[in-house]
Amino acid sequence: MGFEITRFQGDVDEELVCPICSGVLEDPLQAPVCEHAFCRSCIQEWISRQPTCPVDRQHITSVQLRPVPRILRNLLARLCINCDNAEYGCTRVLKLDTLTTHLEECEHNPKRLLPCEQGCGLVIPKDELKDHNCIKELRALIQTQQHKLNDFQQELAEQRFTMVEQKRELQLLKDFMKAMRISNPAMRAIADQMERDEVLRWSNTLIRARVTRWGGMISTPDEILQRMIKRTLSECGCPAHILDDLMENCHERRWPPGLCSLETRQTNRRLYENYVCKRIPGKQAVLVLHCDNEHMSEEMMVEPGLVMIFAHGIE
Amino acid sequence: MANIAAQRIKREFKEVIKSEEVAKCAIKVELVNDNYTELKGEIAGPPDTPYEGGNFILEIKVPETYPFNPPKVRFITKIWHPNISSVTGAICLDILKDQWAAAMTLRTVLLSLQALLSAAEPDDPQDAVVAKQFKENAEMFHLTACHWTNIYAGGPSVNKDFDDKIKKLVEMGVDEHEARVALSSYNWDMERATEQLFS
Ligand SMILES: [Zn+2]
Ligand SMILES: [Zn+2]
Ligand SMILES: [Zn+2]
């Protein structure tokens, strides 16, 4: 639909008026033979109803519509129009071809978003600012948040319930497997092999670590440190059946003879470089898995592996 | 009302008001309500026709989809014309139906209706009885149309004979307009009109 003719400065030539909407042509197109010009939206609406020129009823189709000549476009572009927001106080008069750019930044646009200055922190269309009530708005906001929270809580409760159910089933399965393992030697062999494979697979996902300062080894890590390491191991996929044993083996009291005291450690220091160590992500600690270190002697290795925690010096 | 319809009607309203036809008192248009959805039109009966000297009021309803659809127009003033219903005032005119074009205006509609009064099209009738009379008894049609113009549109030519016949029927308890319709339909034959009215 074209621009209302009363918005223009001075007289507008009839040539520039759309015969359908009687406004000044907006994005005009013209009919092929008679060359009557119309707003794009107006003529398309009309042609969708019947394929004729609205002025002389010559047959025309949508694809025959053409852009209007440059001279007509220039005449339109040079017309001076007031801003869409004139009724809201904008006094600007613009060339028609700059109207769109102005509207994007016109400060009188009643729908322009403004931050509330009374401190609620909400951003509101300008025309709603007058009736805006921070407390009311925030209250509504709290209410919707509360609804969401309730929904989440309900969802959480449901998840918990299914989790408990699943745990119970899992335990049943575990017990069943244990029983199978005990009663059937072939089953035991298969299960052992599966467990070994699992450790191997996990080991392959870990990155090789290099210890640069073996002297930084903490042989008696405290509870907090141990819990931290355990959590990280669990998070990076450590098979459950070795997790507890591994963590036991982070303290010198469970270390093999070659490591279990300061003295033996002094003696075997030169062997340290032979360990294949794996990185424990984000921690100053390494994993020395038995499956990676079959080449080490009984003196220096235990099943399923060792956890060595350092003060520093891990790459 | 859609923006485009309102914008058009406002402009057309001014166009009619400023037109030279208004100056000559040939056409007129008035607003019925503030939102431009209904207007009252008026056309003068064209010279050298049975409608000369009469003023004909029109009801003009502007649809939401105007100007993509034509305005709905009918005669409020009763009229005897082959293309206009003598009962409802409904008009049979191509531009108010499938020949409408979006660039047409209230002014073109009013002028077209005036043209229709000058040149009836009995082969595309709205009122079959009137059309039949128009084709078969042109003189009777002319007299009847003049009479209706006189009675309903303030036309000048009084027909004493017709008035008397109606008066007789009214004295017999018939409604005046019903009497006029019956007599007009039977070429002012008292006997046949009476027969129809009392059957
Ligand atoms: Zn238009
Ligand atoms: Zn502005
Ligand atoms: Zn606020």
Side-chain angles (χ1 to χ4, degrees), chain A residues 193-248:
Chain A
Q193 187 57 48
M194 275 169 68
E195 281 180 359
R196 275 197 297 278
D197 288 349
E198 195 188 0
V199 175
L200 216 55
R201 261 200 311 277
W202 177 55
S203 164
N204 286 334
T205 67
L206 300 173
I207 301 164
R208 262 309 266 277
R210 205 167 72 83
V211 181
T212 54
R213 292 192 200 167
W214 288 97
M217 191 190 289
I218 303 168
S219 54
T220 54
D222 61 21
E223 283 288 320
I224 301 171
L225 203 51
Q226 288 190 35
R227 264 206 302 280
M228 232 158 62
I229 301 290
K230 184 174 179 179
R231 194 188 167 110
T232 308
L233 282 180
S234 177
E235 278 170 2
C236 71
C238 174
H241 69 275
I242 61 165
L243 183 58
D244 286 339
D245 286 342
L246 271 180
M247 284 316 298
E248 285 292 324

Side-chain angles (χ1 to χ4, degrees), chain A residues 116 118-120 124 132-134:
Chain A
C116 168
Q118 295 165 62
C120 73
I124 321 143
H132 169 78
N133 177 330
C134 298

Side-chain angles (χ1 to χ4, degrees), chain B residues 1-34:
Chain B
M1 187 177 214
N3 262 343
I4 183 163
Q7 175 167 308
R8 269 280 304 254
I9 293 295
K10 272 182 213 168
R11 207 169 127 91
E12 289 177 36
F13 182 67
K14 282 189 206 137
E15 179 195 48
V16 176
I17 300 235
K18 281 195 233 149
S19 68
E20 45 189 293
E21 293 86 16
V22 165
K24 287 186 281 178
C25 301
I27 63 171
K28 209 160 114 184
V29 65
E30 277 170 36
L31 287 174
V32 170
N33 57 17
D34 287 341

Side-chain angles (χ1 to χ4, degrees), chain A residues 1-2 4-5 14 17 19-23 42 45-46 49-50 54-55 57, chain B residues 3-4 7-8 10-11 14 65 67-69 95 98-104:
Chain A
M1 180 175 156
E4 216 169 304
I5 208 157
E14 276 299 319
V17 172
I20 299 178
C21 66
S22 79
C42 292
E45 170 84 48
W46 172 256
R49 290 158 194 265
Q50 61 174 85
V55 178
R57 283 205 233 101
Chain B
N3 262 343
I4 183 163
Q7 175 167 308
R8 269 280 304 254
K10 272 182 213 168
R11 207 169 127 91
K14 282 189 206 137
T65 50
F68 300 106
N69 289 111
I95 65 153
D98 55 341
Q99 292 299 301
W100 170 254
M104 291 179 177

Side-chain angles (χ1 to χ4, degrees), chain A residues 166-306:
Chain A
Q166 279 168 356
K167 257 189 199 157
R168 202 179 296 141
E169 275 175 43
L170 210 61
Q171 192 55 50
L172 212 66
L173 214 61
K174 271 185 186 164
D175 292 347
F176 180 69
M177 277 176 44
K178 210 186 273 170
M180 292 265 281
R181 219 159 147 170
I182 293 164
S183 64
N184 186 339
M187 240 8 209
R188 192 179 317 145
I190 293 170
D192 288 349
Q193 187 57 48
M194 275 169 68
E195 281 180 359
R196 275 197 297 278
D197 288 349
E198 195 188 0
V199 175
L200 216 55
R201 261 200 311 277
W202 177 55
S203 164
N204 286 334
T205 67
L206 300 173
I207 301 164
R208 262 309 266 277
R210 205 167 72 83
V211 181
T212 54
R213 292 192 200 167
W214 288 97
M217 191 190 289
I218 303 168
S219 54
T220 54
D222 61 21
E223 283 288 320
I224 301 171
L225 203 51
Q226 288 190 35
R227 264 206 302 280
M228 232 158 62
I229 301 290
K230 184 174 179 179
R231 194 188 167 110
T232 308
L233 282 180
S234 177
E235 278 170 2
C236 71
C238 174
H241 69 275
I242 61 165
L243 183 58
D244 286 339
D245 286 342
L246 271 180
M247 284 316 298
E248 285 292 324
N249 297 348
C250 72
H251 197 281
E252 63 172 12
R253 63 174 175 253
R254 287 285 298 263
W255 281 351
L259 289 175
C260 66
S261 71
L262 198 59
E263 271 174 291
T264 54
R265 284 203 289 278
Q266 288 287 359
T267 322
N268 293 319
R269 219 189 156 106
R270 58 190 171 78
L271 297 176
Y272 287 174
E273 290 300 328
N274 297 335
Y275 279 128
V276 173
C277 305
K278 293 286 169 71
R279 189 83 209 240
I280 298 176
K283 295 284 175 285
Q284 287 291 317
V286 296
L287 201 56
V288 187
L289 285 167
H290 190 274
C291 63
D292 292 334
N293 291 278
E294 313 249 6
H295 57 285
M296 300 298 284
S297 69
E298 293 273 311
E299 279 278 289
M300 299 296 286
M301 206 54 230
V302 287
E303 280 274 17
L306 301 162

